[in-house]
């Protein structure tokens, strides 16, 4: 499933219709296709956030949403834990891991799934 966030409104992109066809969106879909089954059961969704200018894969885990953000330019991939409410320091997200763009989509999917599983984010 794909979600589009624009002007604070979350919309479901149905069946690929009206889905963004940018390079980042295609990259996110490719990685999502290689994720293991438990990630799909955890509610993995491709998210296009126009407000934050981010495309990624969102996992609804038992401890809150985690987003694998697609890199822009030469930046690395980022795995970010988003908070529903700001924490005591006022943060709304925490970067958990970065990894470079040297890996193929299968590698990115494997690294992400193993990181989440080994850190207790698995549902």
């Amino acid at each position: 499933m794909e979600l589009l966030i624009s002007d604070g409104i979350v919309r479901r992109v149905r069946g690929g219709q009206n889905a963004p066809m940018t390079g980042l969106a295609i990259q996110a879909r490719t990685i999502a296709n290689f994720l293991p089954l438990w990630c799909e059961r955890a509610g993995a969704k491709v998210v296009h956030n126009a407000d934050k200018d981010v495309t990624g894969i969102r996992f609804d885990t038992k401890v809150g949403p985690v987003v694998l953000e697609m890199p822009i330019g030469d930046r690395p991939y980022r795995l970010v834990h988003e908070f529903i409410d700001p924490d005591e320091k006022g943060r709304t997200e925490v970067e958990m891991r970065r990894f470079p763009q040297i890996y193929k989509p299968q590698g990115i999917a494997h690294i992400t799934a193993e990181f989440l599983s080994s850190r207790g984010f698995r549902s």
Side-chain angles (χ1 to χ4, degrees):
M1 177 166 53
E2 293 192 38
L3 300 175
L4 178 64
I5 302 171
S6 179
D7 297 326
I9 299 170
V10 179
R11 293 182 180 91
R12 181 177 176 191
V13 179
R14 299 203 177 263
Q17 298 171 347
N18 302 324
M21 293 305 290
T22 63
L24 294 176
I26 293 168
Q27 185 177 13
R29 289 184 201 107
T30 303
I31 293 170
N33 284 333
F34 290 110
L35 290 170
L37 182 59
W38 74 262
C39 289
E40 181 64 32
R41 288 184 180 148
K45 299 172 187 69
V46 176
V47 177
H48 313 282
N49 191 337
D51 295 342
K52 292 173 60 176
D53 196 28
V54 171
T55 296
I57 302 170
R58 179 183 168 130
F59 305 90
D60 294 322
T61 66
K62 62 184 178 183
V63 292
V66 175
V67 178
L68 172 64
E69 295 180 355
M70 298 297 112
I72 298 174
D74 292 335
R75 293 184 185 167
Y77 289 91
R78 291 181 54 205
L79 200 56
V80 177
H81 184 202
E82 294 181 341
F83 302 130
I84 308 233
D85 296 320
D87 65 356
E88 58 275 352
K89 296 180 183 177
R91 299 178 299 182
T92 57
E93 65 182 29
V94 172
E95 182 179 296
M96 298 188 306
R97 179 160 165 107
R98 288 180 179 217
F99 33 94
Q101 295 185 37
I102 61 173
Y103 301 105
K104 294 180 180 179
Q106 296 94 329
I108 298 296
H110 177 74
I111 291 169
T112 302
E114 287 300 314
F115 182 85
L116 293 175
S117 181
S118 68
R119 302 302 191 284
F121 284 90
R122 188 173 177 170
S123 298

